[in-house]
Amino acid sequence: MENNRRQFLTLVGAGSLAAITGTPPSEAAPLPLKRKKGAPPAFFTPIEPSKADNLVLPQGYQAQIIAHWGDPLGSKDPEGNPEHFGFNNDFTAYFPIDALTGGKSCTEGLLWVNHEYPNPLFVSDYPHPPKDLESPELKTWIALKKTKEQIILEKKSVGGSVLHIKLVDGKWLLVANSKFTRRFTALYPQIELSGPSKTLVPHGVGTLANCSGGRTPWMTVMTCEENYPEYNTLETCRWSDVPGMEIDELQYGWVVEIDPFGDLPPKKHSALGRFKHENTTWAVGSTKKFVVYMGDDEADQCLYKFVSKNPLIDLKDRAACSKLLEEGTLYAADMGKGRWIPLVYDAPTAAKIHSSKIYLAMQKADPKFQITSQGELLIHARVAAKILGATPLDRCEDCEVHPKDGSLYVALTNNTKHGNFYGHIVRLVEQDDNPEATSFEYEVFLAGGPQSGLACPDNLAFDADGNLWCVCDISSSKIGSGVYKSFGNNGLYVIPTSGDSAGDAFQFASGPNDAELTGPWFSEDGKTLFLSVQHPGEESPDKQNLTSNWPGKPGDIPKPAVVAITGFPKE
Ligand code: FEO
Ligand code: CA
Ligand code: CA
């Protein structure tokens, strides 16, 4: 009966349309229906999407490898063993060598580089599990425990590197025997927790899952611990295969402040909350409070900002500046109401939290789970944020503050559960342009998709002219297929934020197979772009079937590397 009725309505509808128009509808224009774009920035001719196993750049630009995975750094670990450049380089930040005396050297500096996660196949020679989870090989793989030596190799491959580099005859070279060049790993050094959660978390060992980050104006790095739950279990890195090698997850998921110059001790700042931190960017408010914007990169997690209790007074007093990150208010964004929700443990907040369904469900799942103090609230920041009304978002990656108008750009990579496969970039304007404000407005600056030529925006950086540089993170297993077919390999795009081309994406670079370009960072003069090439060949099932050989020759094991891109026009 229902079928007949639907068929009848369809026939009536089709007949009516033909009767009205007299012609059948024309064929739809094929995808992608590209929007008409404005003119690209004058300094480069955009490239086309590429599937080449190479770092493809516009004509006139060159990339030089500064360091790749495994390069000896000339430094020693606490046991006297040689240190090496880590795996899967991500965030980069350049510190002019004379920065502490106000200098802006563009020919010598310290380059901080994050190392996000290991690929066991390459780092520790440990095989991937079989793709077919029904196959008999799965049992064999489960029984093949990781050795302590393999786990140590993996722990040493993550964290970060400080590289003392110098521009010599147009090439960035490591300065030999520099006291600055050194490693931070998941094994060392000890890193103290600061702020309200300090007494609740055992003394921390090292850092891991270092995704993106930020550079403070007092010249320290804020390196962000993102996917910290991906280390202990069988489904992840299985570090708990060897008793004593597992990590205590409470020690990770923080923003870690490190002084590349080595004057200040490294610290994990609990006042900035614990979640899957992507990056940080900062601004100074109307009463000089220091404000840090941060995304939580997981589907349906939130956008945060921290506002220091005390004002920023003197950048030369670096210890006092660092202390600003130890005391203040953490807020989460309610996008619907355009308000920043303070995550402060007081009587009304406690009542709201303790009576919520989310809290009761968390306690049922884990009887030890509780939020009874500010320190515990910060450890479980994402639980508190949700209960208090923050908006679940589509994977917050980088946030960056526009250098000219102070508005905040936030990349949201995607959320396939919501049907948002392509992601978008939002632009948020604080009330009265004041980063300390508790309300804001926002707009969608760019929608990813075939029409814009960009999908899954991730790390962002601004150049001095206010162009937004955006790298993309289409999952390596999905590159070039399905809804991502038209994009080629992951790339780097330049997006003007003003003029006729505002919001139009122009492709500047394309990465090698399976890779993600990450961590774009300009030297102070804008003439060198530091960039990470992360996880080339990640989809290789084994070493006999490599999907990339970058940056080597055919047959070579692929190696993540950090490069310096030059060729920007001289003024
Ligand atoms: Fe490690 Fe959110 O990318
Ligand atoms: Ca990222
Ligand atoms: Ca990413």
Side-chain angles (χ1 to χ4, degrees), residues 90 116-117 209-212 226-227 276-278 297-298 395-398 413 458-459 473 516 534:
D90 200 304
E116 190 174 18
Y117 63 97
N210 306 73
C211 185
S212 188
E226 189 195 37
N227 292 312
K276 290 188 181 176
H277 279 281
E278 174 70 24
D297 181 12
E298 187 171 304
R395 291 187 54 201
C396 282
E397 298 261 13
D398 270 23
T413 289
D458 191 327
N459 298 152
D473 181 13
E516 177 189 355
Q534 200 193 59

